[in-house]
Amino acid sequence: VRDIDLVDLEVSAEQTELAPVAEILPLDKEQLLAGIIEADASLRYLRGAPAETSLSGHFRGREFQYFDPSHGIEIDQGECRLEFRDNRIILEDSIILLNGQTLMCQGGINNLNNGNLALRINSPQLNVDKLIPRTSADEISTDQPQKPGTSRRLVNALEPLSIDLHIEVERGSYQRRPFNQFSLEAALSGGRVESHNLNIGLAGGKLGTRGSLDLAELDFWNFDLRIDIRSVHLEKLLPWLIKENRGYRGPASCKGSLSGHTGKGWLESLRGNLLLKAGPGKMPRVGALGDALHKTLALDRLKGQLTGTMSAHEAATIIPVEYLLLHADFEESVIDVPTLVLNTPGAK
């Protein structure tokens, strides 16, 4: 392809079936491609003068279908409309049913020479578990052996692109846990999220983040985030992140800024500050913190048992929390806690 100096191409199709065309494509036996297309487009490209690239015309696709069982991909009822003009590719109101999930898309490439892609995706209801191909988790599994000094990268083909992404989902679920009012605006360039604004309703509250992420390396993500979590029930949120949650149960809010990286040494990398407010809730006698609080507040547990406000089992295993205020600063492997306020029923 690098030896081609000039491309002067015209494409014309009217109510053309894709199935016969698919027979000459390098598809596996189990893969299926079908649909009806209509096109009237022309492309002129000169390698020595890419700025003079011209593209014009239109493309229409309907009843589009693509099935790839080996990768868990099923596209049905696809409707696509593309306009080509002024060196731009414009994706007009288009809709696909991807693994049973309705996605409505708009956007396009604003300039063929710099690869600036804008994409807006809307969905009234989205099951993320069905959307993600079954093999994705295997392909990025951290259990795969790696050679020392190597790191797995995201799709290199995306790195030259600049992408402005906007996603809106009214209702959805992930790992069988519901969420609502999902909104994401992100600017991506060279495998890096230069900026993003994420808001989502989940676990009985609202979660929001802003900032930048470097996602080019799968094993090592740099981040610089502004965090705003409001009245989220931790016992509903943490199962999204960890397999077992035996800590605080109840609503919590958190604001602040945090930067660092994932992977080895993540705790030492943290910089920033967080302000946590929680309560009313319950702190089980689990781990060093729960055990220490339980011993410190043993008299309060006894008062609760004697007055009948707590059962013997609760008094032995649970610390009721009316109000918790925690301010933490992170800097150079040191976590400083200048403010820690804990109110329990017996401590008034």
Side-chain angles (χ1 to χ4, degrees):
V1 175
R2 283 177 290 183
D3 296 330
I4 298 177
D5 293 320
L6 174 66
V7 175
D8 197 347
L9 178 67
E10 292 189 2
V11 178
S12 179
E14 185 174 350
Q15 304 298 315
T16 302
E17 293 278 354
L18 269 179
V21 178
E23 295 179 358
I24 63 175
L25 297 178
L27 300 177
D28 295 333
K29 291 182 179 180
E30 67 272 15
Q31 293 176 318
L32 169 67
L33 178 64
I36 301 173
I37 62 172
E38 175 188 330
D40 184 8
S42 63
L43 168 65
R44 182 177 176 82
Y45 169 77
L46 183 61
R47 187 173 65 166
E52 298 179 9
T53 298
S54 63
L55 178 64
S56 61
H58 70 270
F59 172 89
R60 302 285 187 270
R62 59 184 176 86
E63 301 176 18
F64 182 75
Q65 294 178 306
Y66 175 70
F67 299 102
D68 186 354
S70 62
H71 293 89
I73 300 175
E74 178 179 334
I75 298 177
D76 199 8
Q77 301 177 18
E79 303 285 340
C80 177
R81 295 192 299 170
L82 295 171
E83 292 288 339
F84 311 121
R85 61 175 180 265
D86 299 330
N87 209 20
R88 295 182 298 160
I89 300 177
I90 302 169
L91 175 64
E92 298 182 338
D93 294 338
S94 301
I95 184 169
I96 63 171
L97 198 64
L98 174 58
N99 292 352
Q101 311 303 300
T102 300
L103 302 177
M104 295 169 285
C105 308
Q106 294 176 315
I109 298 178
N110 295 326
N111 191 318
L112 290 177
N113 296 318
N114 59 26
N116 186 9
L117 171 66
L119 183 61
R120 182 184 183 97
I121 302 174
N122 292 78
S123 180
Q125 189 161 349
L126 187 65
N127 185 329
V128 180
D129 299 307
K130 291 184 178 180
L131 187 66
I132 299 175
R134 291 191 300 269
T135 56
S136 294
D138 298 331
E139 291 172 355
I140 64 173
S141 172
T142 56
D143 296 332
Q144 299 295 324
Q146 299 180 59
K147 296 180 180 179
T150 65
S151 181
R152 294 163 296 130
R153 299 183 65 81
L154 291 176
V155 182
N156 289 331
L158 294 179
E159 292 189 4
L161 294 177
S162 296
I163 305 174
D164 292 325
L165 183 65
H166 190 172
I167 302 176
E168 298 276 352
V169 178
E170 294 182 19
R171 297 183 305 278
S173 63
Y174 176 60
Q175 296 182 352
R176 299 183 179 180
R177 296 179 177 89
F179 63 84
N180 61 78
Q181 301 301 314
F182 176 94
S183 175
L184 171 65
E185 295 181 7
L188 298 85
S189 179
R192 175 180 170 83
V193 181
E194 299 290 349
S195 64
H196 85 279
N197 188 350
L198 168 68
N199 291 282
I200 182 174
L202 77 170
K206 299 287 185 181
L207 183 149
T209 63
R210 294 181 293 114
S212 61
L213 296 163
D214 190 347
L215 308 179
E217 307 290 344
L218 283 172
D219 306 305
F220 192 88
W221 293 4
N222 290 299
F223 59 86
D224 184 5
L225 302 176
R226 306 296 177 268
I227 301 169
D228 186 4
I229 301 174
R230 303 181 185 183
S231 302
V232 168
H233 283 253
L234 294 185
E235 73 275 16
K236 297 179 180 178
L237 174 64
L238 290 180
W240 290 49
L241 309 174
I242 58 178
K243 293 183 178 180
E244 184 179 5
N245 171 37
R246 299 186 296 167
Y248 171 81
R249 303 177 66 87
S253 299
C254 182
K255 295 191 71 171
S257 60
L258 208 59
S259 63
H261 63 74
T262 62
K264 187 177 180 180
W266 68 270
L267 186 59
E268 294 84 353
S269 75
L270 294 181
R271 303 288 186 274
N273 60 84
L274 294 175
L275 179 64
L276 172 69
K277 298 180 181 179
K282 296 179 180 180
M283 174 73 76
R285 186 181 180 180
V286 175
L289 177 59
D291 189 58
L293 288 174
H294 181 89
K295 292 177 180 178
T296 302
L297 302 172
L299 180 60
D300 297 334
R301 309 284 70 69
L302 178 60
K303 289 180 181 179
Q305 187 177 1
L306 293 176
T307 58
T309 58
M310 300 181 67
S311 67
H313 175 73
E314 289 177 328
T317 61
I318 294 176
I319 302 168
V321 176
E322 287 192 352
Y323 179 72
L324 171 66
L325 175 65
L326 172 66
H327 177 200
D329 294 322
F330 303 84
E331 182 69 30
E332 296 181 354
S333 303
V334 176
I335 302 177
D336 183 30
V337 183
T339 305
L340 174 58
V341 178
L342 173 65
N343 285 343
T344 66
K348 287 185 175 182

